[in-house]
Amino acid sequence: MSEETQAATVRVFIALAPPDDAKEELEQELRPAYTAYPRMRWNRIEDWHITLAFLGELPVTAVELLRPPLAELAVSRRPLRLALCGGGHFDERVLWTGIDGDLEGLHLLAADVRAAVTDCGIPFHGRPLRPHLTLARSRRHDTTSAVEAAAGLAAFAGRPWDTRRLHLVGSNTGRGPAPIHYRDIQAWPLGGEG
């Protein structure tokens, strides 16, 4: 991808983020896994999020179209009461923790976010929402680390917390051994608070 193309596009998703103390609680629970599976590619705690809609690579101009409807949507929605819980894996390679609490509200918010994206003329063909927070990825041909780490999280039950903001997030598009880094393009308080 040329520099010119990179400047004209951004990889985008819309998400919720747990508060710092909920993330720190989970990080404490993960300490044995960090030691036991140092070769996994662990996501940075500051990048942990719950994806509502992954949009992929978009022109910067399309991102600008998303700002007004997402701001309006955030103001119209109340915070959700959620908690991080348990652990699992996708395809024996992606380690995640689950989400508990107001799952009906979470699914409704995701549906509204996805409708707002479509209403902006941005095609959205995402998968059904499977509420989770991705923690790490195992390396190619490692089919045990994520499975074993997930088993170690099975009994984890984090404290409940309220969602505060709806985040429009951009990520670096580089691949390789380094972790992906995320940055807020913009975030809006839910219910117009703050």
Side-chain angles (χ1 to χ4, degrees):
M1 184 180 294
S2 72
E3 276 186 46
E4 195 173 293
T5 303
Q6 284 180 326
T9 65
V10 63
R11 192 177 185 106
V12 176
F13 61 89
I14 301 161
L16 300 173
D20 289 344
D21 56 347
K23 292 190 288 188
E24 289 162 4
E25 182 181 34
L26 175 57
E27 183 181 43
Q28 183 71 23
E29 187 76 15
L30 284 169
R31 286 188 188 212
Y34 290 152
T35 302
Y37 310 105
R39 292 191 40 80
M40 289 185 74
R41 292 186 308 244
W42 292 94
N43 292 355
R44 300 179 324 152
I45 186 173
E46 57 267 33
D47 290 338
W48 287 353
H49 63 273
I50 302 161
T51 302
L52 301 174
F54 179 76
L55 308 181
E57 198 76 23
L58 292 180
V60 171
T61 53
V63 173
E64 292 306 311
L65 296 174
L66 291 168
R67 291 179 193 257
L70 291 176
E72 187 177 319
L73 178 60
V75 166
S76 71
R77 298 304 296 263
R78 63 178 174 74
L80 302 172
R81 189 86 166 151
L82 301 175
L84 302 174
C85 68
H89 60 87
F90 296 129
D91 300 326
E92 300 177 335
R93 292 205 53 221
V94 178
L95 174 66
W96 52 262
T97 190
I99 309 299
D100 197 9
D102 186 0
L103 296 181
E104 180 179 347
L106 185 61
H107 280 276
L108 289 171
L109 177 59
D112 288 348
V113 162
R114 292 167 181 210
V117 168
T118 303
D119 289 349
C120 287
I122 298 169
F124 182 79
H125 306 288
R127 299 176 179 154
L129 180 68
R130 292 176 66 182
H132 70 281
L133 185 151
T134 300
L135 301 170
R137 288 168 178 77
S138 61
R139 303 210 180 259
R140 191 176 308 241
H141 308 300
D142 175 359
T143 59
T144 60
S145 296
V147 174
E148 291 169 6
L153 279 178
F156 174 68
R159 66 160 193 82
W161 44 272
D162 292 325
T163 57
R164 296 285 181 219
R165 298 184 173 292
L166 182 64
H167 299 262
L168 178 62
V169 184
S171 71
N172 64 339
T173 56
R175 293 289 179 239
I180 297 171
H181 292 188
Y182 305 110
R183 63 176 173 75
D184 271 358
I185 294 170
Q186 192 162 351
W188 300 272
L190 292 168
E193 295 176 6

